[in-house]
Amino acid sequence: MDPGATAGNPATTLRKRPAVSIDTSRRGGDGASSREPARGPERGEREEGSMASAPAAEEHQGSGGRGKGEEEEEEAVSEPMSPAGRLFRETHFNCYIVAVIGLGAPVDVAAARAGLEATLVRHPRFSSIQVKDDAKKHGKPRWVRTTVDLDDHIIFPNLDAAATSADPDQAMEDYLSSLSTAPMDHLRPLWELHILDFPTSEAASAVVLRMHHSLGDGISLLSLFIACTRSADDPERLPELPPAAPRRRAGPPPLSAGLAAITMWVWSYAVLAWHTLVDVVCFVATAWFLRDPRTPFMAGSEGVEFRRKRFVHRTLSLDDVKFVKNAMKCTVNDVLIGVTNAGLSRYYFRKTSDANNDRKKSQKNFCVRSALLVNIRKTPGLHALAEMMDSSKNSGAKWGNLIGYIILPFHIAMHDDPLEYIRQGKKAAERKKTSLEAVFTYWSGNLIVKLFGMKAAAALCYGMFTNTTMSFSSMVGPAEKVEFYGHPIVYIAPSVYGHPHALTVHYQSYVNSVKLVLAVDDAQFPDSHQLLDDFAESLRLIRQAASTT
């Protein structure tokens, strides 16, 4: 079970609807189905994410072993977990994604149930449980198809009516926080949809999707979520996906291009190799001993991954971000990194204002580092669900946790010119683009698992997290308004918990807004809303400065 205990507050007691069973296991020619298939000999690991397509294997009644056909049938309804998926099962990385979806109308429960039946519960990951074959010496956890009972996954919190009426925003925030210490039953598929059917300052109602990170990475899960929505302008149409340029390096120029062009091409690969080597050495050193300075953002003590988290969010203007992007000739991500530089700096220098002048002078400009998960698929953007389910080796859009880690620095400084934060963010981002650090960490992690086991890989990853300050990520969402099973979506606010950081910063774009979401240690950041204010004020000052350039 998950670390932590369920909160005992009666205001967050869960109640459920009458049971409705949806059998998602594959059926044989006679129409029979099996809740849990028989297990055959272990086969070589396949790419995580291929669709189940063959009937479930039946238990062999005789005294002999299973035939080849029975083993193949079992493989169709069970898959080995990828190394990254197995990492998210480890004690210090028992990570969950929690996504708040603000809706523009009260929740129509019947429509939501029908939508889930037609989409989410038919997905292989969302209709499977994690099973480890303990009978084998080196048994590895596998995904095994099972029967989905929607009543186990749609949760109706029994909240205090007086509290939700007096301050609905606070009531929702407190409930989300309680989820970070509430266990999830691993004997069922690891996802839940919580219905919060009361109005807040931003939406008429909300649903909260909580799921275990082993189900997939951000690209996989956001792509699946978009596949569950429809365009608000045309409910019969899937939303338009944001364009994504393939992540490819240019090949060698022709000899006719001249010596200078060929020299530049060779030099670009030399720089790539050098930066990768430097980043790999720094990554390994961080996993072992290289620690960030002690700041208000660093985890105050060990075990932060088990403590209660608070999720707070603020809506920022995507138009303002794009204005700064155009003025500074950079990317949206560069601007978001720069805004984070500025927001963290404002918070830090206010929190340390009572320190003596010598200390303030010595720490006027320094770096803290973040762990950043990077999608390493050939095509880095969002994908249609059909592409995500394509198990062919040439597909650039595969389901699963296809992510590597990089260490991204953030600059804590006092600048008179707010645009200096953007320049530093752009410089840091461009430096990381000329490195294969994420690819190295992904493949080396898989190699360490094969050679030394999951415990060794988890120990290295844990060292990297505890020696850095925070987690950071950003995701591109739908560029048009969409509906979730007929409910207009007002905002999308995803985050993650269960990893050893006291602060996680996430940006999620949707139409013309960017949702800033912070996941913080509840005890360490009692002023988390002030930190949100610092980010918002930083963007305002940067936008104002950009308008005068």
Side-chain angles (χ1 to χ4, degrees):
M1 299 295 289
D2 302 338
T6 305
N9 188 348
T12 60
T13 302
L14 305 182
R15 57 185 175 86
K16 300 178 180 179
R17 305 281 288 190
V20 177
S21 295
I22 310 296
D23 189 355
T24 60
S25 58
R26 297 288 177 176
R27 297 181 180 271
D30 60 354
S33 64
S34 173
R35 177 177 292 269
E36 183 172 344
R39 298 184 179 87
E42 191 82 27
R43 292 179 178 265
E45 289 198 7
R46 300 182 301 172
E47 182 70 29
E48 183 179 12
S50 59
M51 292 286 283
S53 58
E58 297 178 356
E59 290 286 356
H60 185 66
Q61 302 298 327
S63 59
R66 292 186 179 88
K68 180 179 179 181
E70 289 173 306
E71 293 176 4
E72 289 177 348
E73 286 176 343
E74 180 203 343
E75 285 290 319
V77 291
S78 69
E79 300 177 57
M81 292 184 66
S82 69
R86 290 161 58 193
L87 175 66
F88 288 125
R89 288 168 47 100
E90 292 297 305
T91 302
H92 297 285
F93 295 98
N94 195 16
C95 295
Y96 289 82
I97 294 172
V98 54
V100 186
I101 305 165
L103 305 177
V107 179
D108 182 339
V109 178
R113 294 178 72 93
L116 290 172
E117 292 174 12
T119 55
L120 210 58
V121 299
R122 298 182 182 275
H123 188 278
R125 285 293 171 274
F126 285 73
S127 59
S128 296
I129 59 175
Q130 300 173 4
V131 176
K132 184 175 180 180
D133 191 350
D134 295 326
K136 298 179 181 178
K137 183 177 181 181
H138 300 291
K140 298 177 181 178
R142 304 177 65 85
W143 294 106
V144 178
R145 294 293 289 271
T146 187
T147 299
V148 177
D149 184 348
L150 267 183
D151 190 56
D152 294 331
H153 300 275
I154 300 181
I155 309 298
F156 295 81
N158 190 15
L159 300 178
D160 182 359
T164 57
S165 298
D167 193 343
D169 291 339
Q170 188 65 46
M172 178 178 290
E173 184 181 305
D174 290 341
Y175 179 70
L176 290 175
S177 182
S178 73
L179 291 180
S180 67
T181 55
M184 190 178 285
D185 189 350
H186 283 240
L187 298 179
R188 299 166 179 163
L190 297 177
W191 64 274
E192 298 169 344
L193 187 73
H194 299 251
I195 308 295
L196 302 178
D197 198 11
F198 56 87
T200 61
S201 61
E202 290 189 84
S205 64
V207 293
V208 180
L209 185 59
R210 182 168 72 137
M211 47 202 158
H212 199 271
H213 211 320
S214 60
L215 293 174
D217 57 25
I219 288 292
S220 296
L221 296 171
L222 186 56
S223 297
L224 176 60
F225 170 73
I226 290 178
C228 296
T229 65
R230 292 296 182 269
S231 168
D233 293 333
D234 181 5
E236 301 299 320
R237 177 174 60 83
L238 284 169
E240 294 287 343
L241 296 179
R247 190 184 287 124
R248 296 176 181 173
R249 294 187 65 82
L255 295 177
S256 59
L259 181 60
I262 295 175
T263 301
M264 289 299 295
W265 178 78
V266 172
W267 175 251
S268 70
Y269 274 87
V271 170
L272 179 70
W274 172 249
H275 285 172
T276 301
L277 176 62
V278 171
D279 288 343
V280 167
V281 170
C282 290
F283 189 95
V284 174
T286 300
W288 286 351
F289 63 87
L290 188 60
R291 188 175 179 84
D292 277 1
R294 179 65 62 185
T295 66
F297 310 112
M298 196 79 161
S301 60
E302 293 184 0
V304 65
E305 60 270 26
F306 305 127
R307 293 199 290 270
R308 186 184 180 104
K309 301 299 183 295
R310 183 160 294 273
F311 306 96
V312 296
H313 54 84
R314 182 71 55 84
T315 301
L316 306 178
S317 169
L318 184 57
D319 290 337
D320 286 350
V321 172
K322 289 182 176 180
F323 183 91
V324 177
K325 172 187 79 77
N326 295 331
M328 299 298 293
K329 296 179 173 57
C330 59
T331 67
V332 167
N333 273 339
D334 295 341
V335 176
L336 296 180
I337 294 173
V339 169
T340 305
N341 284 334
L344 295 177
S345 297
R346 288 180 64 87
Y347 183 87
Y348 173 82
F349 287 108
R350 183 180 61 258
K351 294 287 286 186
T352 58
S353 61
D354 58 344
N356 60 63
N357 291 333
D358 291 338
R359 180 183 176 186
K360 289 182 67 177
K361 185 179 295 184
S362 66
Q363 294 188 340
K364 193 172 183 179
N365 195 334
F366 63 97
C367 285
V368 297
R369 298 172 301 161
S370 70
L372 170 63
L373 275 72
V374 177
N375 169 36
I376 64 168
R377 294 173 176 83
K378 294 178 182 178
T379 51
L382 297 176
H383 307 280
L385 188 58
E387 294 180 64
M388 301 297 295
M389 290 294 98
D390 184 1
S391 60
S392 67
K393 292 184 178 180
N394 294 326
S395 174
K398 291 182 180 295
W399 185 270
N401 281 285
L402 296 177
I403 49 178
Y405 286 101
I406 68 172
I407 297 177
L408 181 68
F410 286 93
H411 296 266
I412 307 298
M414 298 179 66
H415 294 302
D416 295 331
D417 180 6
L419 297 181
E420 185 60 30
Y421 296 108
I422 305 299
R423 297 185 187 100
Q424 290 180 339
K426 178 181 178 182
K427 182 179 179 180
E430 289 182 343
R431 165 62 180 80
K432 288 298 179 178
K433 291 175 185 175
T434 59
S435 171
L436 297 178
E437 180 182 3
V439 176
F440 170 84
T441 56
Y442 174 78
W443 289 111
S444 63
N446 289 351
L447 181 62
I448 290 173
V449 170
K450 291 180 180 179
L451 294 178
F452 305 105
M454 180 53 66
K455 296 298 182 183
L460 285 174
C461 198
Y462 182 74
M464 185 273 292
F465 270 86
T466 55
N467 286 333
T468 54
T469 297
M470 53 183 275
S471 294
F472 178 87
S473 65
S474 65
M475 290 284 293
V476 178
E480 62 174 325
K481 291 185 177 181
V482 298
E483 295 181 348
F484 181 65
Y485 304 137
H487 303 80
I489 293 180
V490 178
Y491 66 84
I492 308 169
S495 192
V496 64
Y497 68 90
H499 56 293
H501 274 153
L503 171 64
T504 296
V505 178
H506 182 85
Y507 293 97
Q508 176 67 61
S509 69
Y510 174 58
V511 193
N512 60 350
S513 66
V514 177
K515 182 64 80 171
L516 165 65
V517 189
L518 304 179
V520 300
D521 184 301
D522 200 15
Q524 186 172 333
F525 289 88
D527 55 350
S528 54
H529 286 275
Q530 180 61 61
L531 182 55
L532 284 176
D533 293 341
D534 289 332
F535 276 75
E537 178 64 10
S538 296
L539 176 59
R540 187 189 70 81
L541 294 175
I542 290 170
R543 168 65 172 82
Q544 186 178 47
S547 65
T548 61
T549 58

